[in-house]
CSV table of all heavy atoms in Angstrom, one decimal:
chain,number,residue,atom,x,y,z
A,145,ASN,N,75.6,85.0,96.1
A,145,ASN,CA,76.7,85.3,95.3
A,145,ASN,C,76.6,86.6,94.5
A,145,ASN,O,77.5,87.4,94.4
A,145,ASN,CB,76.9,84.2,94.3
A,145,ASN,CG,77.8,83.1,94.8
A,145,ASN,OD1,78.5,83.4,95.8
A,145,ASN,ND2,77.8,81.9,94.3
A,146,GLN,N,75.4,86.7,93.9
A,146,GLN,CA,75.1,87.9,93.0
A,146,GLN,C,75.1,89.2,93.9
A,146,GLN,O,75.6,90.2,93.5
A,146,GLN,CB,73.8,87.7,92.3
A,146,GLN,CG,74.0,87.9,90.8
A,146,GLN,CD,72.7,88.4,90.2
A,146,GLN,OE1,71.7,88.2,90.7
A,146,GLN,NE2,72.9,88.9,89.0
A,147,TRP,N,74.6,89.0,95.1
A,147,TRP,CA,74.5,90.1,96.0
A,147,TRP,C,75.9,90.6,96.4
A,147,TRP,O,76.2,91.8,96.4
A,147,TRP,CB,73.7,89.6,97.2
A,147,TRP,CG,73.1,90.7,98.1
A,147,TRP,CD1,72.0,91.4,97.9
A,147,TRP,CD2,73.7,91.1,99.3
A,147,TRP,NE1,71.8,92.3,98.9
A,147,TRP,CE2,72.8,92.1,99.9
A,147,TRP,CE3,74.8,90.7,100.1
A,147,TRP,CZ2,73.1,92.7,101.1
A,147,TRP,CZ3,75.0,91.3,101.3
A,147,TRP,CH2,74.2,92.3,101.8
A,148,ILE,N,76.7,89.6,96.7
A,148,ILE,CA,78.1,90.0,97.0
A,148,ILE,C,78.8,90.6,95.8
A,148,ILE,O,79.6,91.6,96.0
A,148,ILE,CB,78.9,88.7,97.5
A,148,ILE,CG1,78.3,88.2,98.8
A,148,ILE,CG2,80.4,89.0,97.7
A,148,ILE,CD1,78.9,86.9,99.3
A,149,GLU,N,78.5,90.1,94.7
A,149,GLU,CA,79.2,90.6,93.4
A,149,GLU,C,78.8,92.1,93.3
A,149,GLU,O,79.7,92.9,92.9
A,149,GLU,CB,78.6,89.8,92.3
A,149,GLU,CG,79.6,89.6,91.1
A,149,GLU,CD,79.1,88.7,90.1
A,149,GLU,OE1,78.9,87.5,90.4
A,149,GLU,OE2,78.7,89.2,89.0
A,150,LEU,N,77.5,92.4,93.5
A,150,LEU,CA,77.1,93.8,93.4
A,150,LEU,C,77.7,94.7,94.4
A,150,LEU,O,78.2,95.8,94.1
A,150,LEU,CB,75.5,93.8,93.6
A,150,LEU,CG,74.7,94.3,92.4
A,150,LEU,CD1,73.5,93.4,92.3
A,150,LEU,CD2,74.3,95.7,92.6
A,151,LEU,N,77.9,94.2,95.6
A,151,LEU,CA,78.5,94.9,96.7
A,151,LEU,C,80.0,95.2,96.3
A,151,LEU,O,80.5,96.3,96.5
A,151,LEU,CB,78.5,94.2,98.0
A,151,LEU,CG,77.4,94.6,99.0
A,151,LEU,CD1,77.5,93.8,100.3
A,151,LEU,CD2,77.4,96.0,99.3
A,152,LEU,N,80.6,94.1,95.8
A,152,LEU,CA,82.1,94.3,95.4
A,152,LEU,C,82.2,95.3,94.3
A,152,LEU,O,83.2,96.1,94.3
A,152,LEU,CB,82.6,92.9,94.9
A,152,LEU,CG,83.1,92.0,96.0
A,152,LEU,CD1,83.6,90.7,95.4
A,152,LEU,CD2,84.3,92.6,96.7
A,153,CYS,N,81.3,95.3,93.4
A,153,CYS,CA,81.3,96.2,92.2
A,153,CYS,C,81.2,97.6,92.8
A,153,CYS,O,82.0,98.5,92.4
A,153,CYS,CB,80.2,95.9,91.3
A,153,CYS,SG,80.0,97.2,90.1
A,154,ILE,N,80.3,97.8,93.7
A,154,ILE,CA,80.1,99.2,94.3
A,154,ILE,C,81.3,99.6,95.0
A,154,ILE,O,81.8,100.7,94.9
A,154,ILE,CB,78.9,99.2,95.3
A,154,ILE,CG1,77.6,99.0,94.5
A,154,ILE,CG2,78.8,100.4,96.1
A,154,ILE,CD1,76.3,98.8,95.3
A,155,LEU,N,81.9,98.6,95.8
A,155,LEU,CA,83.1,98.9,96.6
A,155,LEU,C,84.3,99.3,95.6
A,155,LEU,O,85.0,100.3,95.9
A,155,LEU,CB,83.5,97.7,97.4
A,155,LEU,CG,84.7,97.9,98.3
A,155,LEU,CD1,84.2,98.6,99.6
A,155,LEU,CD2,85.3,96.5,98.7
A,156,THR,N,84.4,98.5,94.6
A,156,THR,CA,85.5,98.8,93.6
A,156,THR,C,85.4,100.2,93.0
A,156,THR,O,86.4,100.9,92.9
A,156,THR,CB,85.6,97.7,92.5
A,156,THR,OG1,85.5,96.5,93.1
A,156,THR,CG2,86.8,97.8,91.6
A,157,TYR,N,84.2,100.5,92.6
A,157,TYR,CA,84.0,101.8,91.9
A,157,TYR,C,84.2,102.9,92.8
A,157,TYR,O,84.8,103.9,92.5
A,157,TYR,CB,82.6,101.8,91.2
A,157,TYR,CG,82.5,103.1,90.4
A,157,TYR,CD1,83.3,103.3,89.3
A,157,TYR,CD2,81.5,104.0,90.7
A,157,TYR,CE1,83.2,104.5,88.6
A,157,TYR,CE2,81.4,105.2,90.0
A,157,TYR,CZ,82.3,105.4,88.9
A,157,TYR,OH,82.2,106.6,88.2
A,158,THR,N,83.6,102.8,94.1
A,158,THR,CA,83.8,103.9,95.0
A,158,THR,C,85.2,104.1,95.4
A,158,THR,O,85.7,105.2,95.4
A,158,THR,CB,83.0,103.5,96.3
A,158,THR,OG1,81.7,103.0,96.0
A,158,THR,CG2,82.9,104.7,97.3
A,159,LEU,N,86.0,103.0,95.5
A,159,LEU,CA,87.4,103.1,95.8
A,159,LEU,C,88.1,103.8,94.6
A,159,LEU,O,89.0,104.7,94.8
A,159,LEU,CB,88.0,101.7,96.0
A,159,LEU,CG,89.4,101.7,96.6
A,159,LEU,CD1,89.2,101.9,98.1
A,159,LEU,CD2,90.0,100.4,96.4
A,160,THR,N,87.7,103.4,93.4
A,160,THR,CA,88.3,104.1,92.2
A,160,THR,C,88.1,105.6,92.2
A,160,THR,O,89.0,106.3,92.0
A,160,THR,CB,87.7,103.5,90.9
A,160,THR,OG1,87.7,102.1,91.0
A,160,THR,CG2,88.4,103.9,89.7
Side-chain angles (χ1 to χ4, degrees):
Chain A
N145 270 343
Q146 235 207 338
W147 196 78
I148 295 174
E149 214 174 291
L150 244 137
L151 263 184
L152 274 178
C153 169
I154 291 173
L155 185 81
T156 309
Y157 185 61
T158 313
L159 195 78
T160 310

